[in-house]
Amino acid sequence: MEWIGHPLVLSGSKVSLQPLKPEHFPALIRAAQNTRIWEQYGRNGADISIMQTFLDDALALRIIQQHYPFTIINTISGEIIGTTRIAYIDYSNKTLEIGWTWYVPEVWGKGYNEECKLLLLTHCFEKLGAIRTQLKTRDTNLRSRNSIQRIGATFEGILRNHMLNEDGSIRNTAMFSITQEEWPVRKEKLKDMMNEKYARL
């Protein structure tokens, strides 16, 4: 059963999440060339062939309704600044994951991620009726872990030897979640964080 209707567009004051399309690929591949983005990832997205495969796979997973990938657009400049997705879509259990997110470094720490997460989580809990939304990252990616905890997600533990990175190395995964009951409080915290960062710009 299709749970997430297509096309789904989520828009805020600084970001618009548009369904990923092949037309977005050239701009995303160009944006991914900054190697700073990939320092803590299990893939080198600056490699054009790797990013092409990443984007092709995202569309394939949307077709079979397992993931719903978005292109992140800066609503002020109109520029493509990254990508994210709703993943591990489990309609029968009303659970989802938000992840596969990356941004160009120019928008790091400026509230764009907070607004993106606010749009996604609001849709998941308030429109789709999810009872749990999870987020995860590599256990050594402290910047990502801190970012996830700042938005109010609860740390659930480390999945040891959880997966293999594309280079063959073993990855441990830090798991986080927000539940339906927690969401109203987390939402206000996230809005406050976003407004505080925007006010400083």
Side-chain angles (χ1 to χ4, degrees):
M1 180 182 294
E2 183 174 343
W3 189 17
I4 300 175
H6 178 70
L8 174 62
V9 176
L10 302 174
S11 295
S13 62
K14 288 202 172 185
V15 298
S16 179
L17 307 185
Q18 304 282 337
L20 178 67
K21 301 176 182 178
E23 303 94 275
H24 298 153
F25 287 12
L28 284 166
I29 289 170
R30 286 194 300 272
Q33 294 303 294
N34 192 318
T35 56
R36 290 179 61 201
I37 299 170
W38 310 107
E39 290 173 352
Q40 292 293 332
Y41 280 76
R43 68 175 55 85
N44 177 19
D47 182 304
I48 292 174
S49 63
I50 290 176
M51 181 50 58
Q52 182 70 51
T53 299
F54 174 86
L55 297 171
D56 288 339
D57 288 348
L59 287 186
L61 287 166
R62 185 175 74 199
I63 290 171
I64 61 175
Q65 299 177 27
Q66 290 185 3
H67 291 196
Y68 196 93
F70 297 93
T71 299
I72 307 171
I73 298 173
N74 185 328
T75 58
I76 297 172
S77 67
E79 295 177 337
I80 287 175
I81 58 173
T83 183
T84 190
R85 68 181 78 170
I86 298 172
Y88 295 113
I89 298 166
D90 186 347
Y91 175 78
S92 61
N93 289 304
K94 295 290 194 293
T95 60
L96 306 146
E97 178 173 306
I98 292 173
W100 282 263
T101 306
W102 60 266
Y103 304 92
V104 294
E106 290 79 6
V107 303
W108 292 358
K110 297 181 178 179
Y112 289 83
N113 181 56
E114 285 80 4
E115 184 171 77
C116 181
K117 294 299 190 292
L118 177 64
L119 291 169
L120 288 167
L121 288 164
T122 298
H123 189 79
C124 288
F125 286 116
E126 299 178 19
K127 300 297 182 181
L128 301 180
I131 64 170
R132 167 191 163 90
T133 300
Q134 71 179 29
L135 304 96
K136 68 177 187 284
T137 190
R138 191 176 185 173
D139 67 329
T140 57
N141 189 343
L142 298 183
R143 183 170 61 84
S144 180
R145 289 179 64 170
N146 289 336
S147 176
I148 293 170
Q149 288 188 289
R150 280 200 306 272
I151 69 171
T154 298
F155 175 60
E156 295 184 323
I158 303 292
L159 298 182
R160 300 177 300 161
N161 288 12
H162 182 227
M163 62 179 71
L164 292 175
N165 294 313
E166 291 189 1
D167 63 4
S169 60
I170 296 174
R171 164 177 149 163
N172 298 328
T173 298
M175 296 295 300
F176 302 82
S177 71
I178 299 174
T179 65
Q180 184 181 58
E181 297 81 8
E182 295 169 337
W183 172 238
V185 173
R186 302 299 192 269
K187 180 179 182 179
E188 293 307 311
K189 177 180 180 179
L190 192 49
K191 289 166 65 176
D192 289 343
M193 286 177 57
M194 183 184 73
N195 292 335
E196 180 183 346
K197 287 192 174 184
Y198 283 176
R200 292 202 305 264
L201 298 180

